[in-house]
Amino acid sequence: MGSVGTSNHLEFEKLLLRKGEKLHRYRVYNHTLYETIGEIHWRGGWMQYVFQALPKIDMSRGCHKQIDEFIDRLMDEWRKQKRK
């Protein structure tokens, strides 16, 4: 595990692979409020990373943008790996 990105109030932490997983999950943590707000994981049927928010979490538009930008980077990395 470990932090793979920190921006403003959000931190994206790479989680250990579970048995049978090929792609990592990422915990999305608000380090200002000290709370986990959700998880980014691979959705095989959709062929993309998705964000799953925890119930009753308020997020600003800025947080949504940060999460989208992080997912964009993950998708770029996935596409590069797929070409190899």
Side-chain angles (χ1 to χ4, degrees):
M1 293 194 307
S3 176
V4 295
T6 302
S7 176
N8 295 332
H9 304 290
L10 298 184
E11 180 177 316
F12 302 92
E13 180 183 9
K14 185 187 247 183
L15 301 175
L16 294 174
L17 287 173
R18 293 178 184 158
K19 186 175 181 175
E21 287 182 332
K22 295 179 182 177
L23 297 170
H24 285 276
R25 294 169 293 113
Y26 298 84
R27 180 175 74 119
V28 182
Y29 181 76
N30 182 317
H31 59 84
T32 303
L33 299 175
Y34 306 105
E35 77 181 337
T36 298
I37 63 171
E39 182 178 287
I40 294 171
H41 65 277
W42 181 256
R43 181 66 126 188
W46 296 354
M47 297 291 289
Q48 63 182 320
Y49 279 95
V50 297
F51 173 68
Q52 183 177 51
L54 293 175
K56 299 192 179 203
I57 294 292
D58 292 332
M59 290 184 284
S60 70
R61 290 178 8 191
C63 287
H64 287 279
K65 286 179 183 179
Q66 289 175 345
I67 291 166
D68 284 344
E69 289 168 359
F70 186 78
I71 290 174
D72 286 344
R73 288 193 305 271
L74 290 174
M75 291 303 300
D76 288 343
E77 290 174 17
W78 176 77
R79 286 184 195 101
K80 287 176 188 173
Q81 288 294 327
K82 192 171 172 134
R83 283 187 222 137
K84 291 182 180 181

